[in-house]
Amino acid sequence: PKAYRGQIADVNVWDSVLNERDILGMATCGEFHKRSIITWSLHNWKIHDTLIKEIPDTTVFCQHLEQYIIFPRRRPLIVGRRLCAVHGGKIVTPKSAKEETKLMEIVGKHYDNCIETKNTRAKNFGKLIWLGVKRIGSVWYDVNDDIPINPLNYSHWSAPTSTADIDCVYLQPDGTWMQTSNANGICPGIELCTVCSVAN
């Protein structure tokens, strides 16, 4: 037999044909069918020079890992949304103070391109990046493009928020969030850098 080079998480050979629902269920960490001829067990294999790691909770294989991509050029919100959509992601919405800090570090690496420091009267002054949130009917949502995903579980507003429907929200240098009074993704005069979150 030939040697295998790579990583193996599980090996099974089934005694019957699996239907699409069964396959999808296993691929998404749902029900796992054990009625197999060959089942993964360390006792069934001769293992040489291999690192073995026990993973009791197999749902780790179905967790989405978020990756951040920055476009270090100031653009209107609607353009930022399109950029993220084209790259398979959405404008980032921080889920914790730790994520806000990480985003500020990312923007800090592109300070000259993203942060308006000279013209204190410019509408971009004191703003870092767009955030993917929108207020609809007095509830703030995490949004993908302009479509609501879930109500926010975390927010960090610098001041009490408006009651109007608003989707012009940005991150400030101190990590707090600020909204503008213009809706519909127009945000007149404001152009900021965009950070997209893409799930792997």
Side-chain angles (χ1 to χ4, degrees), residues 49-63:
D49 300 322
T50 301
L51 174 66
I52 299 169
K53 184 174 180 181
E54 292 284 340
I55 302 175
D57 182 9
T58 56
T59 60
V60 70
F61 297 114
C62 294
Q63 292 177 359

Side-chain angles (χ1 to χ4, degrees), residues 69-74 103-116 128-129 193-195:
I69 302 170
I70 186 169
F71 293 93
R73 180 177 165 195
R74 295 197 295 265
L103 291 171
M104 289 187 290
E105 289 171 0
I106 291 169
V107 178
K109 294 175 183 175
H110 304 276
Y111 192 90
D112 292 339
N113 292 331
C114 292
I115 302 170
E116 175 72 66
L128 297 186
I129 55 170
C193 285
T194 303
V195 176

